[in-house]
Amino acid sequence: AAMKDIKERGNQTLVTEFIFLGFSNHPKLQGLFFMIFLLVYLITLLGNLLLLSAIRINPALHTPMYYFLSNLSFLDICYTSTTIPIMLVNFFREKKTITYEGCLSQLFFLVTFAGSEGVLLAAMAYDRFIAICHPLRYLVLMSKKVCACLAAGSWLCGLVNSMIHTGLTATVTLCGPNQINHFLCDIPLILKLSCSDTSVNEFALYVASATIGLSPCLFTAVSYMLIISAILKIQSAQGRYKAFSTCASHFTVVVIFFGTANFNYDQPSSGYSLDMDILVSVLFCIVTPMLNPLIYSLRNKEVKVALRKLCEKYILHRGFSVQISS
């Protein structure tokens, strides 16, 4: 291969650059795709930053649930920033490329944030379980120290998992072709391009699927089974509604996250077109982080009040600044 992005070493060609094929089969729609994903990215950033600011300035939201929510918002900002910026740049390129080092970096951060978010959602389910099923012991069981440990543990799980996978992926020999049928770098996509033994990598993926993927999902499902059981035992309809409303937003986010993750990573190896593969990944990697702040804002009265106060404070500050300048 006489390609610039593949170097020769002896009789072997080594990949130093990857070409993304995602969206390349719609050349006339590149401008439209750019506008759509730029808008989604801006909404994601604005929504999550507003949520973070509202939680920070409002003392009424300094509770375990909103502490975890602020971690979730920060994760969503990081998660989308790992994939969308380079995608936006590539819409203006005829050859949509990423360096080998850039691909490994993107893979590292993508796996870190995705893994951390899954474990964090399980920690949030535990918080809701304690609030509904053990309300009298809530302040003791969900102390600041416990919350900090759960949040730090979520980040640590994602980080350790990502370091293992990125390290293993870096040891794989890639001899070409260097084309990735996607718009991002992910472990299975790179393993498909390998010309060396990937059995260890595949085993590590199965272990990670059970620990970082399936376990938080099952834990969350069991937590909600216990929560729903406890809610149904409440005598008054108003009490049941109030109890369920405290976890409705989180439940919606959980269903969207684990649902799209299941479609993204557990789809069959054949039978899906490139367009369908791209659509599923867009839902998981890009649309879900945008929806999270919207779901919490629309369904949560306390968050709506905090956001209204934040906007009023900003408008008053701007008005005061204009008066001084004039």
Side-chain angles (χ1 to χ4, degrees):
M3 298 173 70
K4 291 181 181 179
D5 48 6
I6 298 179
K7 290 182 179 178
E8 290 197 8
R9 184 184 293 170
N11 294 326
Q12 228 178 28
T13 55
L14 300 178
V15 173
T16 61
E17 191 176 71
F18 295 100
I19 299 172
F20 290 130
L21 299 182
F23 302 108
S24 59
N25 49 344
H26 300 287
K28 294 181 180 179
L29 298 175
Q30 299 297 297
L32 178 63
F33 286 146
F34 174 83
M35 293 302 296
I36 290 171
F37 287 111
L38 177 62
L39 181 63
V40 168
Y41 186 48
L42 292 175
I43 292 171
T44 304
L45 290 180
L46 181 63
N48 283 291
L49 286 171
L50 279 173
L51 202 54
L52 278 168
S53 301
I55 291 169
R56 184 174 179 82
I57 67 166
N58 195 327
L61 300 183
H62 294 176
T63 62
M65 183 172 78
Y66 295 108
Y67 172 74
F68 290 126
L69 180 56
S70 60
N71 273 268
L72 182 66
S73 289
F74 184 69
L75 267 174
D76 284 337
I77 291 170
C78 296
Y79 193 45
T80 49
S81 298
T82 303
T83 54
I84 296 183
I86 191 167
M87 193 198 330
L88 293 175
V89 171
N90 277 333
F91 281 131
F92 291 102
R93 292 178 179 173
E94 188 176 340
K95 189 178 176 184
K96 307 177 191 306
T97 60
I98 188 172
T99 63
Y100 175 78
E101 293 79 10
C103 188
L104 280 183
S105 298
Q106 187 183 66
L107 185 151
F108 171 78
F109 289 112
L110 196 68
V111 175
T112 297
F113 299 136
S116 299
E117 184 155 338
V119 180
L120 183 67
L121 286 172
M124 293 173 77
Y126 174 72
D127 169 67
R128 293 299 82 207
F129 165 72
I130 298 297
I132 302 295
C133 300
H134 303 282
L136 299 178
R137 301 175 61 197
Y138 182 71
L139 293 176
V140 176
L141 294 175
M142 295 304 296
S143 63
K144 287 185 178 181
K145 186 177 180 181
V146 171
C147 292
C149 287
L150 287 172
S154 302
W155 284 89
L156 188 62
C157 284
L159 182 61
V160 171
N161 178 56
S162 184
M163 286 174 69
I164 292 169
H165 286 300
T166 307
L168 288 172
T169 305
T171 64
V172 168
T173 304
L174 304 170
C175 308
N178 65 327
Q179 295 178 332
I180 296 177
N181 290 319
H182 223 293
F183 63 85
L184 52 78
C185 290
D186 205 355
I187 301 163
L189 298 170
I190 296 188
L191 295 186
K192 283 182 182 178
L193 305 179
S194 172
C195 56
S196 61
D197 181 27
T198 60
S199 57
V200 175
N201 303 70
E202 289 165 11
F203 176 74
L205 275 176
Y206 284 122
V207 172
S209 296
T211 53
I212 299 293
L214 186 60
S215 295
C217 185
L218 289 176
F219 180 86
T220 304
V222 171
S223 296
Y224 269 101
M225 287 171 64
L226 296 171
I227 287 169
I228 291 168
S229 176
I231 290 174
L232 292 175
K233 291 177 183 177
I234 298 173
Q235 298 296 322
S236 67
Q238 188 179 0
R240 286 196 296 271
Y241 174 78
K242 187 177 180 181
F244 187 75
S245 66
T246 63
C247 52
S249 298
H250 176 253
F251 182 75
T252 308
V253 168
V254 162
V255 170
I256 293 172
F257 178 83
F258 286 113
T260 54
N262 182 62
F263 276 109
N264 192 51
Y265 287 107
D266 296 332
Q267 58 182 285
S269 56
S270 59
Y272 275 83
S273 65
L274 175 60
D275 286 345
M276 181 57 71
D277 200 34
I278 296 296
L279 176 61
V280 171
S281 292
V282 164
L283 288 174
F284 177 62
C285 300
I286 296 171
V287 176
T288 301
M290 178 189 71
L291 291 177
N292 288 351
L294 295 176
I295 290 166
Y296 272 98
S297 301
L298 294 173
R299 295 189 63 89
N300 195 302
K301 188 178 178 181
E302 290 174 316
V303 172
K304 282 194 278 190
V305 170
L307 286 172
R308 195 181 301 118
K309 286 182 179 179
L310 182 66
C311 292
E312 287 171 358
K313 188 176 181 180
Y314 175 76
I315 291 167
L316 286 171
H317 177 73
R318 290 288 296 175
F320 184 68
S321 299
V322 169
Q323 285 181 358
I324 291 175
S325 59
S326 60

